[in-house]
């Protein structure tokens, strides 16, 4: 087992540069904890960390392989050709899988005294993985270099000139796997500690293919991301010598109600009968609207929870009248609404951050380097189930609005974070509700603060994960399509001849057809060269439509400001090929996209959410 750095006070102090004023304001955290203890009641079941953890030999590794999409490696027979994910992994990711599989195999042999498949039959190459070997029947692992005194040397945040952009923002690179970046940085000796209270700026490195937000991918493509993100998160923690703990998923009975205490998936199924495609519970949206309408300028909003008797009465009325449209929010006091918000979060049958990964969200605060800490949070958010991820995003956006009104409501981002942290992290757990757990308070509050401030960055799907999804789709298509060898060879020959003939015609530029589905009946031919970006397509469209047609087209979403074009309701999508669908960043270079996905169609259509921004966060 890898040595955990979670209990090291010296690392915690370096990891969380919280100024004295914020330490003093931790009293809000403990007041909220006491409030939770008073409102929970004696009949609430308290958790036990020893019961929720996975302790049986091999069980943790088996569960990990299952969640990572590698369940075929478990058991006596697991053909390598059936493990499509393996072909997409980086060297560091493959090493993380090797460690878990080797530990699982050894645990099975030890428990049942029978041979289990050796890891060498699954992975190609001779010998064992770098950084671990077996001696006298025991698995040994090696972490990063050790400094005097046994404290591991962690990489510092990349702050060299090549890692910064004008304006002082650090580059947040998503082209290269985070674990590979961390492994390459291990040669550097000193860890970087940020100035107290500072919010360093990070600029997403878009690359030639632009950035991809969670909302830019279809659910079918996003469905493949969590398993890949789990493998990458595990690899990153291995490089940083940080133990990644996961709890067992325990089933809890939902409350016999319609709103409070109902599991998010069940609640959303019920809500979607009224509002199709809604991703955030309607009751939560109504609470946000109530506070935003009447309470954003009230001093101490969220800190003051209102009257418990009124909140209980409101809860009962909501359960009875909310879905019938008979409940009126006009007379609800904003402090009571904030109490309902926190009550909703606490009453969920499973925590919003999930039972399984709640320890991981807490543990990432042990990562000294801020950029790597954000990388881990980014992966954790991608691992969350879609209902949890969408609800968390709505909550963070709301908290950001509250903190933006600090001058009037006196609720800074740190104040908001200390209030919400107990409601998110101390889920049904009496053991951790002890006053004096200063590290726990600081760590969870800092985690909430980071998620609020860097949420635009954290909801980015890294380019390397999108590339792995493309490879998965390509491998799956090649495996299951055209099983007849003669037909496959014939089609391959046709495709090769077509590519050979097209290459001579399109060596300097390519001509790609874009199908604007909104106002034109025929396709639009767009010439593409090395410098053509997605935003240029709209400029070419404007020229071809002519001034009269452009006036009509402008009514469906085109805007012009500051000499550049922005598109509020329209976007260019790549459809088909090695992705189901992806909304393109306006800065995407189309020649590079064509080379990555030559079989995709490019479609202009209405977009349901805003396009990714290029600002530093």
């Amino acid at each position: 087992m890898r040595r955990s750095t979670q209990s090291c006070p010296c690392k915690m102090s370096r990891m969380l540069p919280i100024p004295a004023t914020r330490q003093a304001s931790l009293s809000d955290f403990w007041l909220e904890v006491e409030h939770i203890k008073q409102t929970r009641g004696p009949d609430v079941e308290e958790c036990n960390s020893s019961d929720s953890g996975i302790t049986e030999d091999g069980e943790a590794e088996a569960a990990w392989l299952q969640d990572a999409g590698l369940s075929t490696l478990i058991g006596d027979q697991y053909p390598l050709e059936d493990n499509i994910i393996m072909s997409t992994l980086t060297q560091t990711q493959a090493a993380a899988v090797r460690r878990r599989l080797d530990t699982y195999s050894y645990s099975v042999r030890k428990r049942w005294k029978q041979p289990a498949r050796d890891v060498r039959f699954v992975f190609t190459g001779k010998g064992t993985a770098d950084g671990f070997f077996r001696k006298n029947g025991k698995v040994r692992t090696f972490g990063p270099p050790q400094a005097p005194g046994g404290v591991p040397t962690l990489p510092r945040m990349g702050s060299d000139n090549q890692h910064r952009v004008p304006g002082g923002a650090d580059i947040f690179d998503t082209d290269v796997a985070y674990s590979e970046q961390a492994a390459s940085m291990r040669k550097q000796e000193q860890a970087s500690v940020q100035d107290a209270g500072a919010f360093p700026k990070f600029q997403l490195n878009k690359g030639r293919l632009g950035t991809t937000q969670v909302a830019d991918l279809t659910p079918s493509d996003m469905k493949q991301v969590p398993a890949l993100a789990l493998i990458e998160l595990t690899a990153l923690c291995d490089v940083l010598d940080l133990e990644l703990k996961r709890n067992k998923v325990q089933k809890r009975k939902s409350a016999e109600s319609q709103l409070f205490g109902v599991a998010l998936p069940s609640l959303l199924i019920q809500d979607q009968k009224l509002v199709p495609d809604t991703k955030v519970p309607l009751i939560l949206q109504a609470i946000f609207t109530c506070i935003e309408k009447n309470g954003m300028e009230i001093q101490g909003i969220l800190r003051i929870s209102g009257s418990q008797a009124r909140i209980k009465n409101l809860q009962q009325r909501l359960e009875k009248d909310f879905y019938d449209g008979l409940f009126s929010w006009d007379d609800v006091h904003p402090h009571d609404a904030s109490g309902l918000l926190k009550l909703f979060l606490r009453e969920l049958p499973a925590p919003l951050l999930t039972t399984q990964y709640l320890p991981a969200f807490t543990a990432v605060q042990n990562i000294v380097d801020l950029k790597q800490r954000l990388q881990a949070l980014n992966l954790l958010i991608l691992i969350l189930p879609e209902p949890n991820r969408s609800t968390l995003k709505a909550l963070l956006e709301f908290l950001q609005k509250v903190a933006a009104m600090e001058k009037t409501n006196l609720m800074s981002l740190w104040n908001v974070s200390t209030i919400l942290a107990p409601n998110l992290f101390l889920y049904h757990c009496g053991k951790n509700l002890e006053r004096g757990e200063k590290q726990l308070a600081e760590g969870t509050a800092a985690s909430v603060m980071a998620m609020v401030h860097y949420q635009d960055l954290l909801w980015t799907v890294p380019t390397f994960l999108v590339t792995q999804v493309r490879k998965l789709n390509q491998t799956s298509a090649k495996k299951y399509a055209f099983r007849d060898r003669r037909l496959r060879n014939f089609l391959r020959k046709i495709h090769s001849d077509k590519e050979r003939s097209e290459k001579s015609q399109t060596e300097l530029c390519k001509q790609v057809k874009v199908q604007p589905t909104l106002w034109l009946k025929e396709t639009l031919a767009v010439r593409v060269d090395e410098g053509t970006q997605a935003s240029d397509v709209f400029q070419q469209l404007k020229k071809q439509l002519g001034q009269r047609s452009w006036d009509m087209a402008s009514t469906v979403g085109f805007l012009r400001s500051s000499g550049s074009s922005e598109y509020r309701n329209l976007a260019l999508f790549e459809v088909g090929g090695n992705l189901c669908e992806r909304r393109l960043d306006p800065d995407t270079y189309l020649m590079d996209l064509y080379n990555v996905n030559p079989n995709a169609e490019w479609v202009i259509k209405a977009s349901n959410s805003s396009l990714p921004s290029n600002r530093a966060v």
Side-chain angles (χ1 to χ4, degrees):
M1 181 179 294
R2 301 186 69 83
R3 181 176 54 78
S4 174
T5 61
Q6 185 170 355
S7 60
C8 179
C10 62
K11 296 180 81 100
M12 181 66 71
S13 62
R14 297 174 65 199
M15 168 199 67
L16 294 169
I18 300 175
T21 54
R22 289 183 179 173
Q23 294 179 14
S25 67
L26 281 175
S27 59
D28 290 340
F29 181 96
W30 298 116
L31 288 174
E32 187 67 20
V33 168
E34 293 298 326
H35 174 74
I36 294 174
K37 294 175 68 174
Q38 293 174 5
T39 57
R40 283 169 58 213
D43 58 334
V44 177
E45 178 185 359
E46 293 188 354
C47 71
N48 188 321
S49 59
S50 61
D51 295 336
S52 60
I54 299 176
T55 57
E56 190 173 350
D57 289 343
E59 188 176 355
E61 288 74 21
W64 185 92
L65 290 168
Q66 181 76 32
D67 293 341
L70 301 171
S71 58
T72 56
L73 301 181
I74 302 175
D76 295 330
Q77 295 181 350
Y78 23 80
L80 178 61
E81 58 271 15
D82 288 344
N83 299 315
I84 301 177
I85 291 181
M86 299 305 304
S87 63
T88 71
L89 301 184
T90 66
Q91 181 178 357
T92 310
Q93 292 171 349
V97 176
R98 281 196 292 263
R99 293 186 183 96
R100 272 74 196 169
L101 184 59
D102 192 67
T103 303
Y104 168 77
S105 301
Y106 173 68
S107 299
V108 171
R109 287 196 295 267
K110 181 180 178 181
R111 190 193 314 168
W112 300 108
K113 304 298 183 182
Q114 64 183 17
R117 187 173 183 183
D118 192 271
V119 67
R120 289 172 294 179
F121 295 127
V122 179
F123 294 91
T124 58
K126 299 181 179 180
T128 56
D130 295 337
F132 80 106
F133 66 94
R134 185 179 301 282
K135 184 177 181 180
N136 298 328
K138 297 182 178 180
V139 177
R140 298 187 61 188
T141 59
F142 295 93
Q146 299 286 317
V151 178
T153 300
L154 295 178
R156 65 183 177 89
M157 185 173 69
S159 57
D160 297 331
N161 291 333
Q162 64 268 26
H163 299 296
R164 301 184 71 86
V165 295
D170 284 277
I171 295 177
F172 197 91
D173 186 10
T174 65
D175 287 340
V176 181
Y178 299 151
S179 57
E180 297 290 339
Q181 296 181 39
S184 66
M185 291 170 61
R186 284 174 58 177
K187 296 180 181 179
Q188 304 180 21
E189 297 181 355
Q190 275 190 320
S192 175
V193 182
Q194 296 299 322
D195 294 336
F199 280 111
K201 291 183 178 180
F202 292 99
Q203 178 69 59
L204 278 171
N205 181 25
K206 288 193 172 186
R208 301 284 295 183
L209 297 178
T211 58
T212 304
Q213 299 291 312
V214 170
D216 295 337
L217 295 177
T218 60
S220 57
D221 285 329
M222 274 301 302
K223 188 177 181 180
Q224 302 186 71
V225 171
L228 295 170
L230 175 58
I231 296 174
E232 172 60 16
L233 175 65
T234 305
L236 177 62
C237 290
D238 283 354
V239 173
L240 300 180
D241 201 29
L242 178 70
E243 184 178 6
L244 178 63
K245 291 184 177 181
R246 303 193 310 158
N247 283 341
K248 284 184 178 180
V249 178
Q250 296 180 335
K251 294 183 179 180
R252 292 181 179 271
K253 293 183 179 180
S254 296
E256 296 181 359
S257 61
Q258 299 187 80
L259 297 174
F260 295 84
V262 180
L264 283 176
S266 301
L267 189 58
L268 286 172
I269 290 175
Q270 189 171 256
D271 289 348
Q272 288 168 358
K273 296 177 181 179
L274 298 176
V275 182
D277 300 326
T278 186
K279 297 182 178 181
V280 179
L282 297 180
I283 179 61
L284 203 58
Q285 296 183 45
I287 294 174
F288 291 156
T289 301
C290 177
I291 299 176
E292 291 174 8
K293 182 179 179 181
N294 302 316
M296 298 297 280
E297 298 184 356
I298 295 180
Q299 294 185 5
I301 190 65
L302 295 183
R303 180 190 291 119
I304 303 174
S305 293
S307 167
Q308 290 304 309
R310 291 199 305 267
I311 292 174
K312 186 67 175 179
N313 179 261
L314 287 171
Q315 179 184 1
Q316 295 173 352
R317 289 172 51 197
L318 284 166
E319 293 284 0
K320 180 182 177 181
D321 299 332
F322 180 74
Y323 283 115
D324 294 332
L326 302 177
F327 185 86
S328 175
W329 292 90
D330 295 338
D331 298 329
V332 177
H333 194 281
H335 287 322
D336 294 339
S338 66
L340 287 172
L341 167 61
K342 292 182 283 187
L343 179 65
F344 176 86
L345 296 175
R346 295 197 303 268
E347 290 295 312
L348 287 172
L352 184 59
L353 302 179
T354 71
T355 302
Q356 193 173 20
Y357 290 101
L358 194 61
F361 273 95
T362 305
V364 296
Q365 286 303 311
N366 293 315
I367 301 176
V368 177
D369 185 273
L370 177 59
K371 183 185 293 185
Q372 292 172 343
R373 199 184 319 160
L374 293 176
Q375 291 171 345
L377 281 174
N378 178 211
L379 296 170
L380 278 170
I381 287 171
L382 295 177
I383 293 173
L384 290 177
E386 197 278 333
N388 299 65
R389 184 171 56 243
S390 297
T391 303
L392 177 62
K393 185 65 166 68
L395 175 63
L396 298 180
E397 290 175 347
F398 167 75
L399 298 180
Q400 192 173 48
K401 293 177 182 178
V402 174
M405 302 291 292
E406 177 186 358
K407 291 184 179 180
T408 54
N409 60 30
L410 303 183
M411 292 296 292
S412 66
L413 179 54
W414 175 251
N415 296 139
V416 171
S417 302
T418 56
I419 294 298
L420 264 294
N423 295 278
L424 290 175
F425 283 91
L426 305 185
Y427 173 81
H428 287 185
C429 192
K431 181 178 179 180
N432 288 333
L433 298 181
E434 299 294 336
R435 191 179 186 91
E437 295 259 356
K438 181 181 177 182
Q439 293 181 2
L440 175 66
E442 291 180 349
T444 55
S447 182
V448 174
M449 184 169 61
M451 287 191 290
V452 174
H453 184 75
Y454 295 106
Q455 58 183 281
D456 290 341
L457 184 150
L458 297 179
W459 259 257
T460 300
V461 183
T463 302
F464 67 86
L465 286 183
V466 177
T467 300
Q468 289 180 306
V469 172
R470 293 182 189 274
K471 291 180 180 179
L472 278 177
N473 292 336
Q474 288 175 338
T475 305
S476 299
K478 290 179 181 179
K479 179 179 179 181
Y480 296 109
F482 310 127
R483 293 184 180 273
D484 186 276
R485 179 179 300 177
R486 289 175 298 178
L487 176 61
R488 185 168 60 249
N489 292 338
F490 175 72
L491 293 175
R492 184 184 297 115
K493 182 178 185 301
I494 294 178
H495 183 68
S496 300
D497 293 341
K498 181 180 179 181
E499 283 188 335
R500 193 177 300 110
S501 62
E502 288 181 350
K503 185 175 180 181
S504 59
Q505 299 176 9
T506 60
E507 192 165 354
L508 297 178
C509 65
K510 293 179 173 23
Q511 189 169 359
V512 182
K513 290 185 177 180
V514 181
Q515 177 68 56
T517 59
L518 295 179
W519 60 87
L520 291 182
K521 296 182 179 180
E522 57 185 21
T523 60
L524 172 71
V526 177
R527 296 189 63 82
V528 177
D529 56 31
E530 293 291 341
T532 305
Q533 295 180 311
S535 58
D536 297 330
V537 173
F538 293 94
Q539 296 297 329
Q540 296 188 37
L541 177 63
K542 174 184 174 180
K543 293 179 181 179
Q544 295 199 26
L545 288 176
Q547 186 62 43
R548 182 174 180 180
S549 298
W550 170 253
D551 292 338
M552 178 183 64
S554 63
T555 62
V556 292
F558 285 98
L559 296 177
R560 293 189 59 83
S561 63
S562 303
S564 62
S565 297
E566 298 177 351
Y567 319 106
R568 176 174 298 174
N569 299 323
L570 298 178
L572 182 64
F573 291 76
E574 60 168 313
V575 181
N578 51 38
L579 283 180
C580 291
E581 183 176 290
R582 170 177 171 255
R583 182 177 56 176
L584 299 183
D585 187 313
D587 295 332
T588 301
Y589 286 90
L590 296 182
M591 180 71 77
D592 295 81
L593 179 64
Y594 180 84
N595 293 332
V596 169
N597 193 5
N599 297 320
E601 293 183 351
W602 295 352
V603 181
I604 296 176
K605 63 179 182 177
S607 176
N608 294 327
S609 55
S610 59
L611 291 172
S613 64
N614 192 30
R615 66 181 180 87
V617 294

